[in-house]
């Protein structure tokens, strides 16, 4: 069995996530996958909470990429170059 001295969650990420969890409206915050310095996530309960997280992370030089739910589900947006392909695929009939 090999031991790696690298931490799964570096102390700087732990501090960032602990502070994020103290923001009103944050449900979850963590490190996805195997850890490291490459990514963190936060799940918020409102747009206001999301804004607070984005502002805090920005002050810490962390780029937030926001994803929100939509009642329409996954869909191609107007002007998406894949639309022509999806139209052709949807008309394809298998014999």
């Amino acid at each position: 069995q090999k031991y790696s001295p690298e931490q799964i969650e570096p102390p700087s990420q732990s501090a960032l996530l602990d502070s994020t969890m103290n923001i009103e409206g944050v449900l979850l915050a963590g490190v996805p996958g195997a850890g490291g310095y490459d990514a963190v996530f936060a799940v918020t309960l409102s747009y206001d909470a999301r804004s607070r997280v984005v502002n805090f992370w920005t002050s810490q030089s962390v780029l937030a990429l926001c994803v929100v739910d939509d009642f329409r589900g996954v869909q191609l947006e107007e002007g998406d170059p894949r639309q022509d392909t999806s139209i052709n695929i949807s008309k394809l009939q298998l014999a």
Side-chain angles (χ1 to χ4, degrees):
Q1 180 177 9
K2 293 184 179 183
Y3 172 76
S4 172
E6 297 301 318
Q7 297 180 7
I8 293 174
E9 186 178 290
S12 60
Q13 277 189 332
S14 295
L16 177 77
L17 295 171
D18 289 345
S19 295
T20 300
M21 284 299 299
N22 289 326
I23 296 173
E24 182 181 347
V26 173
L27 179 65
L28 300 168
V31 177
Y37 285 101
D38 59 343
V40 294
F41 71 88
V43 176
T44 61
L45 300 174
S46 69
Y47 289 108
D48 289 340
R50 182 181 72 182
S51 293
R52 288 189 288 272
V53 169
V54 168
N55 290 336
F56 171 62
W57 284 5
T58 300
S59 76
Q60 302 298 305
S61 299
V62 175
L63 175 64
L65 301 174
C66 299
V67 178
V68 297
D69 65 333
D70 189 308
F71 70 93
R72 295 171 292 184
V74 176
Q75 64 182 19
L76 293 175
E77 295 185 4
E78 198 172 307
D80 189 309
R82 296 170 292 180
Q83 280 191 335
D84 291 336
T85 303
S86 66
I87 290 169
N88 292 334
I89 290 173
S90 69
K91 292 180 180 177
L92 179 67
Q93 294 181 5
L94 301 176

